[in-house]
Amino acid sequence: AEHQHIRYNPLRDDWVLVSAHRVKRPWQGQLEKPPPDDVPRWDPNNPLCPGATRANGEVNPQYEGTFVFPNDFPALQPDAPEPGDSDNPLFRAAAARGVCKVMCFHPWSDLTLPLMSLAEIRAVVDAWAELSAELGASYPWVQIFENKGAMMGCSNPHPHCQVWASSFLPNEACLEDRTQRQHLSQHGVPMLLEYAEQEALRKERLVVENTDWLVVVPYWATWPYQTLLLPRRHICRLQDLREGERDSLASIMQRLLIKYDNLFEVSFPYSMGWHGAPTGPYLEEDCGHWQLHAHYYPPLLRSATVRKFMVGYEMLAQAQRDLTPEQAAERLRSLPEVHYK
């Protein structure tokens, strides 16, 4: 807790430098603006609101729950041509095809997941599982992710996430596939299943838990209040969740996100995303080395206005953090589960 050391991340096969003593240093850097508290519940000029007109001229239905539609500015399209052949292995390119969708969590713009009801969060979980199965029928990777807050590049305050399905396995998916496969081969048990069991016993990095799930600040966390959401049962993909596990997932997500908001009494920014076994052609293969999990990467470090920057040493050498994962977990764990609002 007092001296610098490095910790190994078996999921990414890399290391993070922990320098706990640096958290005491004075701060004279950039201060972020807290998110606005006056977001209108409905705005006809907001393209994610019910009844609003989007950039492509389409009018949203008067939806009352979740709402999924094709991204009007997709990073991946299904009919992209093949790139030309390379004349040198240093200049390789490959085809990239896919689809991008947007999913609104709720018709109200002034709500976020921790302020939604359990039934409304459960509807989000069901929609995630449905999209994962639908797009995963033909695409090898389906990335569900939420960027919350302008600090994390979110361009619209309306509660929503994105779903990108690709014809290729992205870098992080390839890396986690390799490390989890190696762990199962060497130890005979899925890595994150064993890890969840260990964290449940040790409890020093545990934030919240219930019968089916637990949330920890991982031993190898990079971001100050980064968390890892893990099932207790061996589950490969979102669509494999049982009814009860979907209910308990909605509950533990709400508890975690309320704690996040309560930490600095602000709508807590983060990027989160689900990682599960590859789909498409991989559905016919044995993916037992995979364990479903969700990553939460929040940038805030000291307050609602001071964030962690990944620059300098992090970009040129390796990841570094000031607050130990144990200190972060203890602080999150001690926070109330009733929203400060």
Side-chain angles (χ1 to χ4, degrees), residues 190-203 206 209 212-216 220 228-233 291-292:
M191 177 199 296
L192 292 181
L193 185 62
E194 180 181 3
Y195 179 69
E197 292 171 352
Q198 284 293 315
E199 289 287 32
L201 289 172
R202 297 169 186 256
K203 297 193 181 301
L206 189 67
E209 64 178 330
D212 302 311
W213 302 87
L214 69 157
V215 175
V216 300
W220 52 80
L228 185 63
L229 172 57
L230 295 162
R232 296 181 187 269
R233 181 175 70 90
Q291 175 73 329
L292 177 70

Side-chain angles (χ1 to χ4, degrees), residues 22-310:
R22 276 169 46 90
V23 79
K24 300 172 184 176
R25 75 191 193 281
W27 180 264
Q28 293 182 332
Q30 176 174 317
L31 296 179
E32 306 287 340
K33 291 182 179 180
D37 282 330
D38 57 350
V39 176
R41 178 155 292 181
W42 183 83
D43 179 357
N45 296 316
N46 186 329
L48 298 187
C49 282
T53 302
R54 302 203 308 274
N56 63 358
E58 291 191 20
V59 178
N60 295 334
Q62 294 292 340
Y63 65 92
E64 297 180 351
T66 60
F67 169 52
V68 179
F69 62 92
N71 194 314
D72 296 328
F73 303 96
L76 293 163
Q77 296 176 323
D79 53 358
E82 292 275 350
D85 293 333
S86 172
D87 60 357
N88 188 298
L90 295 176
F91 302 94
R92 290 191 296 169
R97 301 185 180 94
V99 296
C100 299
K101 293 182 179 290
V102 176
M103 186 182 116
C104 295
F105 296 153
H106 196 279
W108 295 355
S109 292
D110 58 342
L111 277 192
T112 56
L113 281 171
L115 295 171
M116 289 166 53
S117 70
L118 283 176
E120 290 166 339
I121 300 173
R122 166 63 197 266
V124 171
V125 171
D126 287 339
W128 280 343
E130 184 178 337
L131 280 169
S132 180
E134 174 192 330
L135 297 174
S138 51
Y139 286 101
W141 189 255
V142 180
Q143 184 59 65
I144 297 169
F145 65 97
E146 179 194 4
N147 293 327
K148 184 188 174 202
M151 195 181 298
M152 297 308 291
C154 182
S155 60
N156 192 310
H158 195 92
H160 71 285
C161 72
Q162 298 189 54
V163 185
W164 294 11
S166 62
S167 61
F168 55 90
L169 286 187
N171 293 341
E172 292 296 310
C174 287
L175 185 55
E176 290 193 3
D177 185 71
R178 174 175 64 82
T179 57
Q180 290 181 96
R181 189 183 298 275
Q182 288 175 345
H183 188 93
L184 181 64
S185 175
Q186 294 171 4
H187 302 280
V189 60
M191 177 199 296
L192 292 181
L193 185 62
E194 180 181 3
Y195 179 69
E197 292 171 352
Q198 284 293 315
E199 289 287 32
L201 289 172
R202 297 169 186 256
K203 297 193 181 301
E204 57 187 331
R205 285 169 295 274
L206 189 67
V207 177
V208 286
E209 64 178 330
N210 61 26
T211 305
D212 302 311
W213 302 87
L214 69 157
V215 175
V216 300
V217 177
Y219 177 78
W220 52 80
T222 299
W223 295 91
Y225 292 97
Q226 174 181 334
T227 54
L228 185 63
L229 172 57
L230 295 162
R232 296 181 187 269
R233 181 175 70 90
H234 185 202
I235 302 171
C236 287
R237 302 176 178 93
L238 272 170
Q239 53 266 46
D240 299 333
L241 293 175
R242 299 167 180 162
E243 286 292 310
E245 291 166 338
R246 297 185 183 202
D247 287 335
S248 56
L249 174 56
S251 174
I252 204 164
M253 283 174 53
Q254 184 188 60
R255 293 169 63 197
L256 169 65
L257 298 180
I258 286 175
K259 284 180 177 288
Y260 269 161
D261 280 8
N262 285 346
L263 179 60
F264 299 129
E265 293 195 350
V266 69
S267 184
F268 205 70
Y270 58 74
S271 283
M272 71 80 65
W274 285 99
H275 283 173
T279 48
Y282 295 90
L283 292 170
E284 304 300 321
E285 298 183 9
D286 181 4
C287 290
H289 55 289
W290 269 90
Q291 175 73 329
L292 177 70
H293 58 282
H295 297 282
Y296 284 83
Y297 298 129
L300 294 180
L301 172 59
R302 296 166 177 248
S303 69
T305 60
V306 177
R307 67 179 298 182
K308 164 72 175 176
F309 287 91
M310 290 293 184

